């Protein structure tokens, strides 16, 4: 058990430049638990309509400049067919909180994907829902659920979200998802406005307590048409430090090297892998919509970020010293082996 103060001192020591020792420790632990595998997931960003108004996010309801789209069921299934042909065995369905997609619609989509590709896993990332909704998605066959907690400190959460959004509810959702039996992903942004090292240490303490199977960590990046449009981006060294500490804290965690990290700096994805990350999620959405899922400025959606370029991404992974792995890549935490 690492204490909050210990986390703060490690973050302080590494905030300007991550120490090679910390990177190496994370890499050794990742190799002990997952070998050289880097799991590939196909990401389908199926709607950018959102009823929420998170101050940092480009697809917030209040951004009237966002060009909105939602994929039809058939379009989502075509993305899966394309992904299946490319070899993907996990489909991650992510979107804004879009009430147009009823629970019934989500369940039918999940059920159809699972019946067409029975050996594949389906991950949902569609925000805060009731226990009944989560249970219905799980009954329909969904395997995993991503719901970043964003920040584990009450007053900081309030700085990032309007009053109707509550950290308490977000945390409750995460525990409910775990109880239902999902492989659960939490996570946070690094460098979001008003964040201190103590807040990041609190995020690590929360992860230590929750014991999620997956953790998504990326830098905060500003989006021009949001209230935080003029804030500065999160730092590379602190993001990498958080990734490495998460690997050390949760040796069996599935940890993506995120698109935001790749957007922050061209070497970001490779550096993430060297700091303990073992998942990448190239974009399988229809190319004509990719630029409209703009959570932050300049979000990568071309080059090795595009699922069609998977061969080139595999080369990049090999050159970084790891092995691309197209298997389902379930969590190795006891319950899911
Ligand atoms: N609606 C779902 C939810 O709330 O979990 C999933 C979609 S949400 C857009 C996915 C993630 O994008 C969020 O959890 C947040 O961490 C990240 N995100 C949004 N805006 C961002 C920004 N400006 N910089 C970095 N990450 C951002």
């Amino acid at each position: 058990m690492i204490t909050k103060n210990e986390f703060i001192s490690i973050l302080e020591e590494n905030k300007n430049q991550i120490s090679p020792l910390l990177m190496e420790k994370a890499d050794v632990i990742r190799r002990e638990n997952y070998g050289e595998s880097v799991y590939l997931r196909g990401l389908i960003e199926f709607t950018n309509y959102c009823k929420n108004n998170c101050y940092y996010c480009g697809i917030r309801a209040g951004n009237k400049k966002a060009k909105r789209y939602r994929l039809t069921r058939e379009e989502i299934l075509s993305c899966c067919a394309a992904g299946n042909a490319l070899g993907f065995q996990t489909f991650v369905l992510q979107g804004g909180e879009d009430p147009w997609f009823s629970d019934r619609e989500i369940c039918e989509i999940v059920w159809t994907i699972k019946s067409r590709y029975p050996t594949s896993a389906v991950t949902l990332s569609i925000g805060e829902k009731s226990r009944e909704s989560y249970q219905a998605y799980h009954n329909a066959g969904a395997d995993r659920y991503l719901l970043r907690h964003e920040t584990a400190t009450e007053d900081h959460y309030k700085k990032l979200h309007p009053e109707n959004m509550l950290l308490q509810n977000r945390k409750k959702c995460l525990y409910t998802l775990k109880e239902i039996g999902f492989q659960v992903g939490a996570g946070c942004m690094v460098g979001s406005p008003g964040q201190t090292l103590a807040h990041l240490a609190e995020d690590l303490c929360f992860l230590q307590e929750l014991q999620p199977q997956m953790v998504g960590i990326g830098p905060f990046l500003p989006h021009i048409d949001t209230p935080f449009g003029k804030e500065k981006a999160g730092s590379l060294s602190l993001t990498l430090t958080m990734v490495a500490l998460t690997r050390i804290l949760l040796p069996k965690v599935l940890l993506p090297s995120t698109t935001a990290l790749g957007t922050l700096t061209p070497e970001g994805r490779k550096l993430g892998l060297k700091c303990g990350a073992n998942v990448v999620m190239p974009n399988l959405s229809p190319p004509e919509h990719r630029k409209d899922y703009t959570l932050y400025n300049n979000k990568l959606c071309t080059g090795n970020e595009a699922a069609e370029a998977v061969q080139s991404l595999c080369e990049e992974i090999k050159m970084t010293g790891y092995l691309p792995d197209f298997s389902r890549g379930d969590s190795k935490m006891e319950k899911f082996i």
Side-chain angles (χ1 to χ4, degrees):
M1 180 94 174
I2 309 176
T3 66
K4 185 171 170 185
N5 282 338
E6 286 164 345
F7 282 134
I8 295 178
S9 10
I10 304 173
L11 290 164
E12 187 67 53
E13 281 160 24
N14 291 275
K15 69 178 181 194
N16 296 322
Q17 171 117 48
I18 180 168
S19 86
L21 225 65
L22 186 64
M23 279 175 88
E24 200 189 314
K25 184 155 189 205
D27 191 53
V28 166
I29 294 180
R30 158 278 199 350
R31 284 174 196 271
E32 278 168 9
N33 289 279
Y34 285 98
E36 295 179 329
S37 287
V38 173
Y39 299 109
L40 290 108
R41 326 283 201 204
L43 176 64
I44 305 167
E45 295 164 333
F46 70 97
T47 173
N48 71 352
Y49 282 86
C50 190
K51 68 180 174 58
N52 292 334
N53 241 327
C54 309
Y55 300 141
Y56 45 84
C57 184
I59 62 167
R60 65 199 299 269
N63 180 10
K64 301 297 173 221
K65 291 194 185 160
K67 190 171 157 217
R68 304 286 170 177
Y69 72 91
R70 63 170 67 88
L71 304 187
T72 62
R73 194 192 293 197
E74 290 65 35
E75 285 172 318
I76 295 172
L77 293 168
S78 303
C79 293
C80 294
N84 181 61
L86 289 166
F88 290 97
Q89 290 238 53
T90 290
F91 302 110
V92 181
L93 268 52
Q94 187 176 89
E97 284 196 27
D98 180 358
W100 187 91
F101 284 93
S102 62
D103 286 349
R104 194 184 163 146
E105 181 65 19
I106 294 289
C107 288
E108 286 181 12
I109 292 168
V110 170
W111 189 86
T112 311
I113 299 173
K114 293 290 289 191
S115 42
R116 287 193 188 171
Y117 312 107
T119 56
S120 296
V122 170
T123 305
L124 291 175
S125 178
I126 53 175
E128 295 171 39
K129 307 276 177 179
S130 65
R131 175 183 282 270
E132 292 68 34
S133 301
Y134 287 148
Q135 185 67 61
Y137 307 154
H138 195 253
N139 294 349
D143 304 272
R144 309 181 188 137
Y145 203 102
L146 301 174
L147 184 76
R148 289 185 178 183
H149 64 279
E150 314 296 1
T151 174
T153 313
E154 200 71 58
D155 60 338
H156 188 227
Y157 194 89
K158 286 205 177 87
K159 198 172 156 49
L160 304 182
H161 301 93
E163 263 177 20
N164 65 331
M165 294 184 72
L166 301 174
L167 175 61
Q168 209 186 0
N169 192 54
R170 206 141 176 108
K171 286 186 174 174
K172 189 167 144 229
C173 286
L174 284 163
Y175 282 103
T176 304
L177 287 160
K178 269 198 100 180
E179 278 165 29
I180 289 172
F182 280 99
Q183 295 174 49
V184 173
C188 60
M189 286 175 291
V190 178
S192 56
Q195 188 182 60
T196 61
L197 296 187
H199 291 141
L200 287 173
E202 197 59 54
D203 288 322
L204 293 164
C205 291
F206 175 64
L207 293 175
Q208 192 161 242
E209 177 196 303
L210 177 70
Q211 294 285 314
Q213 287 77 28
M214 307 174 284
V215 174
I217 290 178
F220 158 78
L221 297 167
H223 184 292
I224 189 158
D225 299 315
T226 64
F228 291 157
K230 293 203 161 66
E231 300 285 341
K232 63 177 206 316
S235 94
L236 177 65
S237 44
L238 263 185
T239 306
L240 294 175
T241 302
M242 285 293 287
V243 170
L245 282 173
T246 302
R247 170 61 63 203
I248 294 166
L249 198 61
L250 304 169
K252 294 195 187 316
V253 80
L254 291 160
L255 189 58
S257 192
T258 56
T259 306
L261 193 50
T263 303
L264 182 68
T265 170
E267 296 294 291
R269 187 180 22 234
K270 289 184 205 161
L271 288 166
L273 294 177
K274 289 185 169 190
C275 288
N278 64 337
V279 172
V280 288
M281 308 207 306
N283 200 316
L284 254 187
S285 314
E288 66 271 26
H289 291 302
R290 285 180 198 168
K291 63 179 182 332
D292 297 323
Y293 198 83
T294 314
L295 308 180
Y296 40 80
N297 297 338
N298 308 315
K299 177 168 167 275
L300 283 186
C301 60
T302 55
N304 285 358
E305 208 58 38
E308 314 79 74
V310 70
Q311 281 319 321
S312 157
L313 175 61
C314 288
E315 284 311 310
E316 181 185 316
I317 292 169
K318 285 185 209 157
M319 279 165 63
T320 316
Y322 303 99
L323 280 180
D325 190 327
F326 281 90
S327 66
R328 264 176 64 120
D330 283 304
S331 161
K332 290 197 176 166
M333 276 168 84
E334 254 156 52
K335 187 165 176 227
F336 297 97
I337 296 176

